[in-house]
Each structure stands twice: as C-alpha cells, then as structure tokens.
Amino acid sequence: MIREKSIIQGNEQLAPGFWKMRLVAPEIAATVKPGQFINVKIAQCKAPLFRRPFTVFRCLDLDKDRPGIEVVYEVVGRGTRMMSAMGKGDELDIIGPLGRGFKRRDDKRVHILVGSGVGLPALFMLGEELSLAAGRGELELVIMLDAKTKERLILEEEFGSLNGKTLVSIHDGAYGYHGYVTEMLRAYIAEEDIAADCAIYACGPELMFKALVPICSQYNIPAQICMERNMGCGIGACLSCVCRVDKKAVMKHRDVRSSHVQFEDAGSSGYALVCCDGPVFNIDEVIFDE
Amino acid sequence: MNKVSSGAAVDLSVTLGKMKLKNPVMPASGTFGYGREFADFINLDDLGAVIVKGTTLRPRLGSFQHRLLEIPGGSLCSIGIQNVGVDSFIADKLPYLRQFNVPVIVNIAGESVEEFARVTEILSKAEGVAGIEINISCPNVKKGGMHFGVDPDATFAVVRAVKGATDLTVMPKLTPNVTDVTVFARACEEAGADAISLINGLVGMAIDVDSRRSKLGKNLTGGVTGPCLKPIALRMVWQVAQVVGIPVVGVGGIACPEDALEFILAGASAVEVGTYNLVNPRVMIEIIEGIRDYLIKKGVSDLAAIRGSFES
Ligand SMILES: Cc1cc2nc3c(=O)[nH]c(=O)nc-3n(C[C@H](O)[C@H](O)[C@H](O)COP(=O)(O)OP(=O)(O)OC[C@H]3O[C@@H](n4cnc5c(N)ncnc54)[C@H](O)[C@@H]3O)c2cc1C
Ligand SMILES: Cc1cc2nc3c(=O)[nH]c(=O)nc-3n(C[C@H](O)[C@H](O)[C@H](O)COP(=O)(O)O)c2cc1C
Ligand code: FES
C-alpha cells in the first residue's frame, strides 16, 4: 500500500454526470492490477470525512513519461461533486493499490466482460490485458456494455478500441439490444454455444449480479464479480465492509488462512472484507440476501 | 511551569497504572485493527501504546453487513465486535506486536462477568500484553441484555472481576449512553481501576426514507463516532477528571493536535484516536508532533504541567 500526494493532470466530463480524472501517481501506476482500487481523500476536511474508493480505470504515461492513472466516476453525492469541481494542478491524497483484483481464467477460450453503468471502468484494465492476448490469437474477447439509457452509456469508444466484439444493451431500447445485459448474455451464450468454454467478469449493481447467478449455475460458467460496500479504511482495519460469503465456495477458491474471511462457528457462511478479500469475488462465494 | 527553549526536548511521557507510555497518543480500539494494517504508514514504536480490536472469549462474527454510514462530520457504525477470539489473537496477532517497544493494550468484551474475567486471565498469561481496556458497552446476558456500562452495579462487578483476574493495568472504557457519567467513573475507581477511558460511540440511527428501513440494514442502530462526537466526549472527560483520582484517557472525535490538547487541558492524561485513523493513517504521528510543538511554543517542558489547566 502506498500513499501518494497526487497532482491532478486533467478532469473532464464524459457524459452528463460522468467524469474522468487523470492523476500523477507513479508508484501506484507501477503496481496496480486489473480490478484494484484507490482510496481518495477528496479534501482535507471533516465533511466529507471518509476516503472514497474508485477503481483504477487504466494506467498511462503522462507527459515526460511520468506514469499516471485514470479514474472514471459518476457524480452521486457530496464527495464526487467536489471531485468534479477540481482541476489540473489540484492535489489529492490517495492510497493504493488496494484489494484483490480479477484473476484471468486462462483455461477458457471466450472471455466475456459484463459491465453496467459506472461499473464499466473496473473492467477496462482487464479488457486491455485480454485484448493483447486476443491480438495474439490466444483467446476471444467479448465486451458487453450496459446502461439504463443511451445518455448514460460511457466508455463505448474505449472498449470498442480493444480486440474484441462489443455488444451494447440499453434498457429502454434506444440503442443496441433492448433490455438488460444479463438477458443479452444468456441469448449470446446459447446462440454461440460457448457455455463450456467461457468465463465472465462483471461489474455493476448487485441486482445485475443476482441476475447472473442463475445463468452461471445453469451453464456452469465461472464468473468473477466486483463488489461494493461502504468503506471506512480500505485497508482491513475497521471491518465495516463485510460481505456474506459461502464457506464451501470460499474454501474451494482461496487460501482462507491468508485471507480476512471469518466463518460462523458451526455454520455454512461467514464474512469476507470487500476491501481486502475483494472487491473481486467469485460469484458462487457471495451470498446476496443475508 | 518549567520553561524550555525552542527545539529542546520535552517530556511527553505518561504513566497509566503500571504502564509507562512515551507519549500520550494511542489508537482507539477497533479503528487500528491489530496494528499490522498500519505498518505501511507508521512505525508502531512511535505511539504511546497500541490498543487492539475488541477481543472476546470465542470468535465473533459481529453485526450484519452494511455496517458503516457517513454522517456529517462522523460515522454511524455497527461492527458488533467482530473478532477472531482471544486464542487466535494470542496465536496469530500478538507475535507481530511483540517485536515493537510499545505497550499493547487489549480491549476486551464479554456477555457475563465471568467471561470478562476469563478473557483477562488468558491474556495475563500471554507474553506481551501490558494492559486491559474493558469495553463495558456490551449486553449483559444475565440482565436481559442491558449493557453493563449503563448499570453502575454491573460496571463495578466487571471491573472488580477483571482486577481480581490480573496484575496488568486495568482501564474500563465508559459509554456516553448514560445520564451521569461521573457515577460510572466513581464505580470504576472504587472497583480498583487503574485508569478510565471514555467515550465509546453514542447510540444513533438513520432511516432511508424511500425504503423506510435503517440505513444500517438489519443492524437498526449504530454508534456515532468521529469529529461530530468531540464536544460530548470532551465535556464528559472534563466531568470525570474532576471526580476521580486515577488517570483519565480521552476518546472521541480527535482528528488533530488541537483536539488532543483540548482533552489534555480538560484533565485527560492521554488520548485515543479512533475514526480519524481510518481517514488519515498518519494522524496519530501528526498529533504527537503537534503536541510537542505546542509545548515548545508555550515554553513548557513537561506535558503534565498543562494537564487539567483548563480555566473554568
Ligand atoms: C471498490 C470500489 C470501487 C469503486 N469504483 C468506482 C468507480 O470506478 N467509479 C465510480 O464512480 N464509483 C466507484 N465506486 C463507488 C464510489 O466509491 C461512490 O460512488 C463514492 O464513494 C460516492 O461518494 P459521494 O461522496 O459522492 O457520495 P455520498 O453518497 O455522499 O457518500 C456517502 C458515503 O457513502 C459511500 N458510498 C456511496 N456510494 C457508494 C458506493 N456505490 N460504493 C461504496 N461506497 C459508497 C461513500 O464512500 C461515503 O462514505 C466504487 C466503490 C467501491 C467500493
Ligand atoms: C469501526 C469502529 C470499530 C470500533 N470497535 C470498537 C471495539 O471493538 N471496542 C471498543 O471498545 N470500541 C470500539 N469502537 C469505538 C472507538 O474505540 C471509539 O471509542 C469511538 O469511535 C469514539 O472515538 P472516535 O470518535 O475517535 O472514533 C469502534 C469504533 C469504530 C469507528
Ligand atoms: S473498509 Fe475497513 S476493513 Fe474494509
């Protein structure tokens, strides 16, 4: 974990309510992996108080070969509103890289990214990695972008530039597939007959994950999902970001001793920390309705 | 007051029971994990003491998920003392802390007087524990779940039992959820406490008007912590410092050197920093440096000289 006083290089609006911020963060850029996040103290004030977590959208070389990172964020409250008013030269106190990101399923041929709304940025670094491998013919990349309305669809161009097939679903049918991304996904898997040889990586609202569960279990497809919880610290100290998890699935997927997962005495479930054990979980690990 | 010239060494050390602290600043339980979580940001040797997460006899899973909510200037949180249990604490967490030259205080919780005493006995046999902080903001199962800390007799009984189970420094931590906190402070002193810390979170709630449910999910209520708690904590510390002879440790909303100094002027011997550790992992170091700078600026060589010097 590194704490950097990061200088803002740019902060631009992508669409109404959505922004992209570019930060000088050489040390974090050098080590961040797809799906990891940074925790941002937006201003040295007591309200807003806590740091705000944001996934690293991508790393890039800023001018003079200085490594930097970008975050893409939606203005939803006081903290993000303050961020949107900041500009080049302003300073942010950031800690990162945090959490456990995506693990590439190299045993599968077709890799499907499923992102909705402001969950999309969390998938981009992974998309870049998969795109390189797809360029070498090692795998196939399918990218599914979802939004409620066309105005809320972000990053279509960025994802479109990757070596993959891009599909869009818009809930009101104004553009692309008319409906939810999970319906589009189900149809795609059946049409292409890829169930036996694909992996899913998803980020979006919890409702979307819940809709993924029956698809993944019906076809026995491995899926990794990027979870959100309110966070106090982001570093495993306060135990506020817990997520209910299934004991059997957790034991199958990870080394519990080196995790922060704690199980019920005799029960079949427990709590994992989203900031350390996540934010990325295997979908079968998470118990959605506690 | 002993005058010092700028740059000279000042004495920040404090004695709490049998513990000698090199300075008066330590983390509040539950906001610092087991210390290791902060190792990338601070050297634990620089702290006055380390207070670890609330520890119980058996492991505890704690509250339901959706445990933390930001409120203006603070948090509303319910962790429910999730912890690994005393045995795992000793086996897996304590060895790391032993390498530092800093007193380790274990915050303990329990559901019965016997449980508090048992956890204390176990900790007293472990190498590397210097003190016990008793979290009395826990439901007393024998009294239908009434918190120990809101019943002076139960408070007395717990402190007496813990004192009887150990030679370590014993510091009960008072809850603000009472009408007159001095009654509880006196009960602790009579029961033999070596020091008193206060305050724990003030119970509060928040409702989501769309779903008509608690913003803390199934937890319903939580403790108010953070900067917004400070005026209440400061008032209570001031009240308690006037009625007991043992050292008082101030907790609640401390975020900068001035906050800590307010508590010391009100009579606190030392302070615990809680919620703000989560925001700024170096805040305790900044507070120690700020207290030192203040003493130098005021030309005072010893922290003890300003303690309780608030003029009412
Ligand atoms: C691991 C992780 C990665 C994230 N990545 C991104 C991203 O790349 N882009 C993006 O736009 N958003 C992302 N979020 C959500 C983002 O953290 C919140 O939108 C943001 O904290 C809101 O702050 P606010 O002050 O504007 O809102 P307020 O509602 O005023 O915030 C109040 C409190 O609630 C917390 N909070 C509110 N919404 C969320 C949320 N969805 N998740 C977690 N905490 C929340 C805030 O951190 C704060 O403590 C991520 C969340 C997590 C947990
Ligand atoms: C996330 C969190 C966890 C806490 N856990 C404990 C605990 O285990 N035992 C305890 O006595 N107090 C616990 N507390 C209370 C704090 O130690 C402290 O008394 C309170 O937060 C007020 O101080 P602050 O305003 O500086 O945070 C916790 C507080 C927070 C925010
Ligand atoms: S946010 Fe503090 S433990 Fe995860």
Side-chain angles (χ1 to χ4, degrees):
Chain A
M1 280 176 289
I2 296 148
R3 185 174 181 202
E4 293 194 77
K5 289 263 177 253
S6 181
I7 306 292
I8 298 172
Q9 271 275 313
N11 192 18
E12 60 180 280
Q13 192 162 16
L14 297 177
F18 292 95
W19 293 72
K20 181 165 78 181
M21 185 179 272
R22 182 171 296 188
L23 294 160
V24 183
E27 295 190 66
I28 291 173
T31 51
V32 65
K33 299 203 181 63
Q36 286 190 303
F37 67 96
I38 59 171
N39 216 356
V40 180
K41 180 68 180 145
I42 296 165
Q44 296 309 314
C45 57
K46 292 173 184 170
L49 179 68
F50 292 111
R51 288 171 183 272
R52 304 300 198 242
F54 298 95
T55 310
V56 174
F57 166 60
R58 70 168 157 202
C59 299
L60 71 177
D61 268 345
L62 303 172
D63 55 315
K64 291 175 245 125
D65 292 334
R66 266 181 314 166
I69 56 174
E70 283 182 338
V71 296
V72 170
Y73 62 98
E74 182 180 5
V75 173
V76 296
R78 186 151 172 207
T80 44
R81 201 173 323 116
M82 282 171 71
M83 267 170 79
S84 69
M86 298 177 89
K88 197 175 162 130
D90 288 341
E91 200 181 77
L92 275 186
D93 169 358
I94 64 179
I95 291 175
L98 299 172
R100 183 175 174 273
F102 291 102
K103 289 224 159 61
R104 258 174 63 179
R105 288 294 302 243
D106 289 325
D107 55 324
K108 300 287 179 184
R109 184 174 54 88
V110 184
H111 296 249
I112 310 175
L113 306 184
V114 179
S116 179
V118 79
L120 281 164
L123 298 170
F124 193 72
M125 276 186 76
L126 175 68
E128 286 180 312
E129 250 189 53
L130 293 169
S131 173
L132 285 177
R136 294 190 298 263
E138 292 164 16
L139 53 84
E140 281 170 46
L141 174 61
V142 180
I143 303 158
M144 300 194 173
L145 312 177
D146 176 83
K148 236 183 252 160
T149 62
K150 188 163 187 299
E151 293 66 45
R152 290 181 52 84
L153 180 65
I154 52 167
L155 305 173
E156 190 183 8
E157 207 182 302
E158 287 82 349
F159 278 103
S161 72
L162 302 178
N163 296 314
K165 188 193 288 182
T166 307
L167 302 167
V168 175
S169 59
I170 302 289
H171 302 180
D172 64 7
Y175 177 62
Y177 179 89
H178 182 179
Y180 295 118
V181 69
T182 41
E183 295 160 358
M184 179 167 79
L185 173 73
R186 183 186 277 282
Y188 186 83
I189 291 168
E191 268 164 35
E192 302 284 321
D193 195 19
I194 50 172
D197 206 9
C198 71
I200 294 170
Y201 312 88
C203 188
E206 231 166 278
L207 272 175
M208 182 182 97
F209 299 150
K210 282 194 206 173
L212 270 180
V213 171
I215 301 175
C216 294
S217 47
Q218 181 187 339
Y219 294 109
N220 199 21
I221 299 170
Q224 293 167 42
I225 57 176
C226 188
M227 297 288 293
E228 284 185 350
R229 281 289 178 278
N230 283 17
M231 289 186 178
C233 66
I235 60 172
C238 71
L239 311 185
S240 57
C241 63
V242 293
C243 161
R244 183 61 84 170
V245 288
D246 179 73
K247 187 169 180 178
K248 249 200 214 135
V250 169
M251 305 282 275
K252 185 176 101 191
H253 289 294
R254 47 180 106 208
D255 173 13
V256 175
R257 279 202 60 91
S258 63
S259 77
H260 292 72
V261 183
Q262 197 180 325
F263 296 115
E264 286 169 330
D265 255 355
S268 60
S269 72
Y271 282 130
L273 297 183
V274 170
C275 71
C276 294
D277 302 311
V280 177
F281 291 88
N282 295 287
I283 198 164
D284 52 331
E285 291 180 300
V286 176
I287 297 173
F288 289 100
D289 290 307
E290 189 176 47
Chain B
M1 286 189 192
N2 299 322
K3 295 275 178 191
V4 291
S5 59
S6 162
V10 288
D11 185 3
L12 294 182
S13 69
V14 180
T15 302
L16 296 180
K18 292 180 185 151
M19 299 185 299
K20 177 103 170 148
L21 279 51
K22 45 180 138 5
N23 66 62
V25 181
M26 60 197 118
S29 176
T31 63
F32 201 63
Y34 297 98
R36 194 175 204 147
E37 293 84 347
F38 284 72
D40 284 352
F41 307 106
I42 60 177
N43 180 353
L44 300 189
D45 276 335
D46 293 338
L47 301 174
V50 168
I51 303 187
V52 299
K53 177 67 198 167
T55 299
T56 49
L57 190 56
R58 310 263 317 120
R60 258 180 81 102
L61 219 47
S63 302
F64 297 105
Q65 53 189 8
H66 304 299
R67 293 178 169 181
L68 176 93
L69 180 75
E70 180 170 301
I71 57 173
S75 98
L76 185 60
C77 84
S78 169
I79 310 297
I81 319 184
Q82 178 179 343
N83 79 100
V84 296
V86 68
D87 294 334
S88 169
F89 165 72
I90 291 169
D92 305 328
K93 311 290 184 185
L94 191 55
Y96 175 81
L97 291 167
R98 279 195 203 114
Q99 62 184 304
F100 298 96
N101 177 27
V102 66
V104 172
I105 301 172
V106 182
N107 177 288
I108 63 165
E111 292 177 342
S112 66
V113 172
E114 296 73 32
E115 185 180 343
F116 277 101
R118 185 79 195 107
V119 177
T120 303
E121 271 169 29
I122 296 170
L123 287 167
S124 303
K125 288 193 199 114
E127 181 203 334
V129 177
I132 304 284
E133 179 176 62
I134 315 173
N135 178 3
I136 53 173
S137 310
C138 317
N140 180 353
V141 169
K142 278 197 190 131
K143 285 215 178 168
M146 179 157 105
H147 285 210
F148 290 97
V150 301
D151 172 354
D153 295 336
T155 298
F156 180 90
V158 168
V159 176
R160 172 57 67 86
V162 169
K163 266 305 274 186
T166 188
D167 291 328
L168 301 175
T169 298
V170 172
M171 176 165 81
K173 179 175 180 183
L174 303 183
T175 162
N177 303 301
V178 295
T179 315
D180 182 358
V181 73
T182 61
V183 171
F184 296 84
R186 283 206 192 89
C188 291
E189 188 173 32
E190 276 166 33
D194 300 292
I196 291 173
S197 57
L198 71 160
I199 59 178
N200 215 312
L202 188 60
V203 178
M205 63 191 291
I207 298 170
D208 181 309
V209 296
D210 286 326
S211 67
R212 304 188 201 184
R213 294 182 183 211
S214 166
K215 286 190 178 175
L216 288 176
K218 288 193 210 166
N219 298 312
L220 306 184
T221 63
V224 172
T225 77
C228 63
L229 188 65
K230 200 194 74 183
I232 297 158
L234 185 62
R235 182 261 298 173
M236 290 189 164
V237 165
W238 176 59
Q239 288 177 314
V240 167
Q242 292 173 78
V243 301
V244 296
I246 50 180
V248 176
V249 176
V251 199
I254 298 174
C256 63
E258 292 69 32
D259 293 341
L261 284 161
E262 280 187 77
F263 279 90
I264 292 166
L265 295 178
S269 294
V271 294
E272 297 177 14
V273 180
T275 302
Y276 220 76
N277 285 320
L278 311 178
V279 178
N280 173 3
R282 281 190 63 76
V283 69
M284 289 189 289
I285 304 301
E286 291 167 16
I287 289 172
I288 294 163
E289 284 164 1
I291 294 175
R292 185 177 289 122
D293 290 347
Y294 173 87
L295 292 182
I296 291 169
K297 201 176 87 197
K298 295 285 175 192
V300 178
S301 64
D302 184 354
L303 180 69
I306 64 159
R307 182 182 313 135
S309 66
F310 163 62
E311 294 177 17
S312 52

